[in-house]
Amino acid sequence: MTDFNEMTNALVSCDEAKLIDLVNAALAQDTPAGDILNNGLIAGMDVVGEKMENGDMFIPEVLMAAKTMGSCVEILKPMLGDDESGTGASVLIGTVKGDLHDIGKNLVAMMMESSGMEVHNVGVDIAPEDFITQIKEKNARIVCLSALLTTTMPMMKQTVDAIVEAGLRDRVKIMVGGTPVTQAFADEIGADGFAADAGSASKLAKALVN
Ligand code: B1M
């Protein structure tokens, strides 16, 4: 039986070697990769977030936890794909200007890639004008915006507005996501969809292009 608490503890204490062993052991016991991701790793990052908020963990430790999680996501990556009905649609994904969080965005990118989409992951701290340039260059059909901070959510609206002003709104579907983002917010800023996690983001993208 997989002990997800043990994984969470290893992530919170940034014990990379132990966490990798636990992930490999869980896979050897046929624990689904998605369960390890959600119940072990993402649950661990939630604890890290709480500790950060309470002043029990500081930025350098949080960065170490993020790196530890990244190593384990690499192990799970080949096992996280679903069907390949994404039909090669060009997807542009980035974290909006002012925001440096990228773990969740990278998971969304990974999930979309493994479902057969052509994903262009343009990174973090992306200004509206840079999204515009990339939409044109990559001939994107879907644009995914990520934000993890309440203070960067307004930048999502500015990015949507910039896409409208650039005359590109009819060419792309816009999806938004990240912990503080909601369906109501997506509706308010004129996005086409909201996804709460990587799996549903991939499903929604397929629904929007098919
Ligand atoms: Co930051 N941080 N952080 N941080 N950090 C949060 C977000 C916070 C909630 C922690 C807390 O206080 N409890 C808080 C935000 C509070 C708020 O806005 N209300 C916070 C803060 C305050 C800050 C700083 C301001 C701290 C400071 O400097 N004083 C600072 C801001 C820097 C900046 O961005 N300008 C900061 C910095 C950092 C680090 C750099 C140290 C690091 C990021 C490292 C990295 O990403 N490479 C970091 C981390 C790791 C976190 C927490 C602990 C974990 C985030 C994470 O990776 N979760 C986070 C607390 C938390 O979220 N529990 C926190 C795991 C990840 C898989 O989940 O990103 O939610 P998530 O992604 C999910 C979904 O949201 C969704 O799918 C993903 C997969 O299922 N999703 C999308 C995400 N993007 C999507 C896009 C889509 C669709 C779905 O497109 C369609």
Side-chain angles (χ1 to χ4, degrees), residues 23 61 67 73 75 146-147 167 172 205 209:
V23 167
E61 296 162 290
K67 179 180 165 285
V73 168
I75 298 173
S146 180
V172 293
V209 287

Side-chain angles (χ1 to χ4, degrees), residues 37-38 41-54 58-67 69 73 92-108 112 124-125 142-153 156 174-181 193-202 204:
L37 179 69
N38 290 318
L41 307 185
I42 294 182
M45 281 316 261
D46 285 342
V47 177
V48 170
E50 281 160 27
K51 288 189 175 288
M52 192 177 166
E53 205 170 352
N54 298 333
F58 298 100
I59 301 293
E61 296 162 290
V62 178
L63 279 171
M64 274 174 68
K67 179 180 165 285
M69 172 153 177
V73 168
L92 190 72
I93 181 165
T95 304
V96 297
K97 188 175 174 185
D99 201 318
L100 302 175
H101 296 85
D102 69 355
I103 300 173
K105 167 195 61 85
N106 292 343
L107 277 174
V108 174
M112 289 186 174
V124 297
D125 193 21
I142 297 187
V143 179
C144 294
L145 307 177
S146 180
L148 264 284
L149 301 171
T150 43
T151 49
T152 54
M153 285 170 71
M156 288 182 146
I174 305 173
M175 292 170 51
V176 291
T179 345
V181 181
F194 154 76
D197 55 50
S200 53
S202 175
L204 178 61

Side-chain angles (χ1 to χ4, degrees), residues 109-130:
M110 204 175 82
M111 215 68 152
M112 289 186 174
E113 221 165 53
S114 65
S115 66
M117 296 186 198
E118 181 191 317
V119 179
H120 305 279
N121 186 345
V122 291
V124 297
D125 193 21
I126 306 298
E129 57 273 24
D130 295 327

